[in-house]
Amino acid sequence: MLLACTGGSDRAPASQPDDSARAPQAARATGPAPADTDDFGAPLPTNAQFASHVVSLNPAATEAIYAIGAQARLVGRSRWDKYPVEVEQVPALGDGIRPAVEAILAAKPTLVILYATAENRSAAEALTRAGIRTMALRVDRIAQFHSQLRILGVALGAEAQAQAVSDSVQRTLDRVRALTASVRERPSVVWPVWNTPPMVIGGGSYMDELLEIAGARNVFHDQPQPSPTVSMEEVIARAPQFVVVSHKQVTELGANDSWSSLPAVKTKRFVLHDPAVTGRPSVVLGMAAVQLARRLHPTLADSLR
């Protein structure tokens, strides 16, 4: 059974008891060993020799560094790094996109972790010329989250801790998937990430994977991009039963001339989510799947504590 405009502030913990029966599933889901190069083609560290002074300008990587207990090595972060709250004690060195190379060098890092976007290539090249080891990493899919954890574990001398975090997250995802596999109704949904022009979650995003795990069908799953731009006519034609939104978006979409024409918006058929959880391709992925599943399928709420 589904509820319109489901929501609330409840957050289920990501950790779950170990279940050896699910271990093979977790091993398959986390994928093969990481590649030899980062997302820019630079060689990845094979040990922790560069890990004494780390600058991370990649929020998902920064959060993972805390999760594996390697935060004492951090000497700098981007101003976008907000999780966990303890990260605010680390000096902020500016933006994570097109960062100020001079500010990074002033922190005297031995390793810099960048977000892998074309706009950061020049910074990676400048740091390399200055003799600083860099890693450019990007997480669009859940498998890339697991790969990033393993890469960071090797680079920061915390391989066992990284594997433990990876296993914990995957156990939660497997548990949610197993619970939603039995639901009779898999509602069709659209997940807008920008109002004008309409941008939605596509099949290239971990959010699409979260929807599938949580027991929903993304009407734009067939789009390979993480967040394709689409027309409102196409959204209406695909007739999603529900719209996945934050509390803020409920008001925004209702006041938007285009989105307000969508029947699911007109009838307030919303599935509320917390962007602070679902918007982070990080160690809260399990928590995000639990949150979405509870709101898509309220009858499973007790099983998803």
Side-chain angles (χ1 to χ4, degrees):
M1 174 179 136
L2 279 155
L3 298 180
C5 207
T6 55
S9 59
D10 53 307
R11 294 188 186 180
S15 58
Q16 300 291 341
D18 194 0
D19 187 340
S20 57
R22 295 193 186 99
Q25 281 183 288
R28 287 195 298 272
T30 55
D36 296 330
T37 59
D38 69 4
D39 291 329
F40 283 174
L44 287 169
T46 57
N47 54 50
Q49 65 175 307
F50 302 104
S52 60
H53 294 78
V54 179
V55 167
S56 175
L57 304 179
N58 181 323
T62 303
E63 188 171 2
I65 289 170
Y66 274 83
I68 65 178
Q71 63 269 24
R73 302 178 184 274
L74 282 172
V75 297
R77 63 175 173 95
S78 83
R79 65 182 180 89
W80 300 334
D81 293 68
K82 302 296 184 183
Y83 302 99
V85 294
E86 292 81 6
V87 77
E88 293 186 4
Q89 300 171 17
V90 178
L93 305 180
D95 292 343
I97 305 295
R98 298 186 297 275
V101 173
E102 297 80 4
I104 299 171
L105 292 175
K108 298 182 179 179
T110 54
L111 176 66
V112 176
I113 303 170
L114 298 167
Y115 178 69
T117 177
E119 295 168 288
N120 281 346
R121 281 190 179 274
S122 60
E125 292 166 358
L127 290 166
T128 300
R129 288 194 299 270
I132 307 300
R133 190 67 178 264
T134 68
M135 291 197 308
L137 305 172
R138 180 170 181 144
V139 175
D140 286 326
R141 307 284 289 174
I142 292 174
Q144 290 172 312
F145 158 76
H146 291 294
S147 178
Q148 177 176 262
L149 269 178
R150 291 195 298 272
I151 290 168
L152 291 171
V154 171
L156 302 180
E159 293 180 70
Q161 297 93 320
Q163 189 61 57
V165 173
S166 178
D167 289 345
S168 176
V169 172
Q170 190 60 45
R171 280 196 300 271
T172 303
L173 293 173
D174 288 341
R175 180 169 176 267
V176 174
R177 188 191 296 276
L179 285 169
T180 61
S182 61
V183 298
R184 304 179 90 180
E185 181 186 9
R186 296 183 71 85
S188 62
V189 304
V190 62
W191 190 335
V193 293
W194 194 256
N195 296 340
T196 307
M199 292 179 66
V200 299
I201 292 300
S205 172
Y206 72 93
M207 294 177 176
D208 174 81
E209 294 178 285
L210 288 175
L211 287 172
E212 188 273 327
I213 291 168
R217 180 177 64 82
N218 179 11
V219 296
F220 284 98
H221 172 76
D222 62 319
Q223 299 295 308
Q225 308 96 321
S227 52
T229 299
V230 297
S231 69
M232 202 64 229
E233 290 76 14
E234 189 172 9
V235 177
I236 293 171
R238 296 192 180 211
Q241 296 169 282
F242 289 84
V243 184
V244 182
V245 291
S246 66
H247 282 276
K248 180 181 177 183
Q249 282 180 300
V250 170
T251 301
E252 291 178 345
L253 294 186
N256 184 287
D257 290 340
S258 296
W259 281 99
S260 62
S261 63
L262 182 69
V265 173
K266 285 182 180 179
T267 55
K268 301 186 185 303
R269 302 281 282 177
F270 298 126
V271 174
L272 296 176
H273 72 99
D274 180 359
V277 176
T278 57
R280 293 153 58 193
S282 66
V283 295
V284 296
L285 283 169
M287 184 187 299
V290 168
Q291 181 185 104
L292 288 169
R294 293 185 73 182
R295 296 174 184 181
L296 284 159
H297 303 289
T299 57
L300 296 179
D302 289 342
S303 301
L304 287 163
R305 290 189 183 279

